[in-house]
Amino acid sequence: MTVEWKDMMLDKVAIGPVSARIYQGADYGKGPPIVLYLHGGAFLDSDKNVDRPVAMSLAKAGAIVVAADYSSLSGNLFPQALEVSFSVFTYLANKRAGLGDRKSLLFVAGEEAGGNVAAGVALKARDQMPDALDGQILISPLLDPFMGTSSIRKAEAIGMRQRWTEGWSHYLSGGGCHPYAAPCLCSRISGVAPALIFTAEDDPLHDETIGYGARLKQAGVGVRQHVLPAGTGWPSIYGGKSDGAPDWQENVSRHFGSFLRDVSVQPQLH
């Protein structure tokens, strides 16, 4: 499916106008799902005018993807980044922004730092807007501020250890470690929206991603988890060094399409 995009301003968001790039397939169907997409960048990047291959991959599965610029208003700080993102989510939940219709399912998605914020949005949605979120797509979410897993040892080899260290320090510079800021430390995760989770065998974020998926399952949350083989260029998703051309986009599109069908048939996905 050919994907087109356009830039627009979401000027009726409660927290203030938020710029967004909207991705959609040229022949998306009736009542298309809407995905709030939150970009990665180690809590450091703020460039909104760049390609978003993950957003493109989700749009190829038939979704309208709203790539919201949560960084400009928040400075990539907690809780501001979460507040901006949740404000956009609330707007989409209430209005669908004129993008879909009342039957459109609503998802939140993000990779790396954006995956952290997406998981936080899912937790906050459970607490403040029950049943408004139909699913969460977590793509190598950056969840562990202590960087204490075994797989994170690979971070140096792909040039990300120092970047992630600096990113966590920046994101949490307001002090404390709220469960919304580090979802892997949250003690109550039951009742959140079903999750589609991606990582890869050569992903330094593999262990924290798999660990969070396991905890969601234990809490009774519906989880679809996919571990791509090594060598697909997966670390390039969040700017890590990787040998060879990225070869993961089709996997993301295909598994997201399957997840959509599952959620449509079984909204609770338990």
Side-chain angles (χ1 to χ4, degrees):
M1 180 187 296
T2 302
V3 174
E4 302 170 346
W5 58 265
K6 62 181 178 181
D7 291 326
M8 66 181 293
M9 186 66 69
L10 306 178
D11 55 7
K12 295 183 179 180
V13 175
I15 204 166
V18 177
S19 63
R21 178 164 288 181
I22 313 299
Y23 297 84
Q24 63 187 51
D27 54 348
Y28 64 89
K30 184 178 181 181
I34 297 173
V35 179
L36 169 60
Y37 164 78
L38 305 171
H39 64 82
F43 303 120
L44 298 171
D45 287 353
S46 59
D47 188 353
K48 61 185 178 181
N49 296 314
V50 299
D51 292 334
R52 302 293 183 196
V54 171
M56 292 280 287
S57 297
L58 299 175
K60 285 182 178 179
I64 296 177
V65 182
V66 181
D69 173 24
Y70 67 89
S71 295
S72 293
L73 287 178
S74 72
N76 284 319
L77 297 170
F78 181 84
Q80 294 92 326
L82 178 63
E83 290 171 351
V84 172
S85 301
F86 192 77
S87 186
V88 176
F89 165 74
T90 301
Y91 172 64
L92 294 173
N94 291 333
K95 301 293 184 181
R96 296 300 193 266
L99 299 172
D101 60 36
R102 61 186 180 86
K103 294 184 179 180
S104 293
L105 298 176
L106 180 59
F107 299 84
V108 63
E111 86 272 356
E112 196 233 21
N116 175 300
V117 182
V121 167
L123 289 166
K124 192 169 183 176
R126 174 204 59 190
D127 296 339
Q128 297 189 11
M129 297 181 67
D131 303 321
L133 182 64
D134 294 295
Q136 53 182 316
I137 301 103
L138 308 180
I139 302 169
S140 292
L142 190 61
L143 299 171
D144 179 13
F146 300 108
M147 298 176 64
T149 65
S150 294
S151 66
I152 203 71
R153 297 169 186 167
K154 303 175 184 176
E156 186 69 35
I158 66 166
M160 294 301 296
R161 174 172 286 278
Q162 184 62 30
R163 183 166 171 77
W164 283 334
T165 299
E166 293 174 358
W168 273 118
S169 178
H170 174 77
Y171 187 57
L172 301 177
S173 59
C177 197
H178 193 280
Y180 290 169
C184 71
L185 304 179
C186 184
S187 61
R188 188 175 67 88
I189 58 177
S190 61
V192 297
L196 173 64
I197 297 176
F198 290 96
T199 183
E201 292 176 354
D202 55 352
D203 178 17
L205 301 177
H206 171 279
D207 289 0
E208 57 199 85
T209 300
I210 295 299
Y212 191 63
R215 290 191 60 222
L216 289 173
K217 289 180 182 179
Q218 292 169 0
V221 178
V223 175
R224 299 289 184 267
Q225 190 166 269
H226 301 282
V227 180
L228 277 65
T232 61
W234 186 257
S236 66
I237 286 179
Y238 44 72
K241 298 175 184 176
S242 182
D243 295 331
D247 186 28
W248 50 262
Q249 292 92 336
E250 179 57 33
N251 279 291
V252 170
S253 294
R254 176 164 48 85
H255 290 305
F256 175 53
S258 178
F259 184 62
L260 284 176
R261 291 189 291 273
D262 288 344
V263 172
S264 296
V265 174
Q266 298 175 288
Q268 299 306 312
L269 202 63
H270 291 317

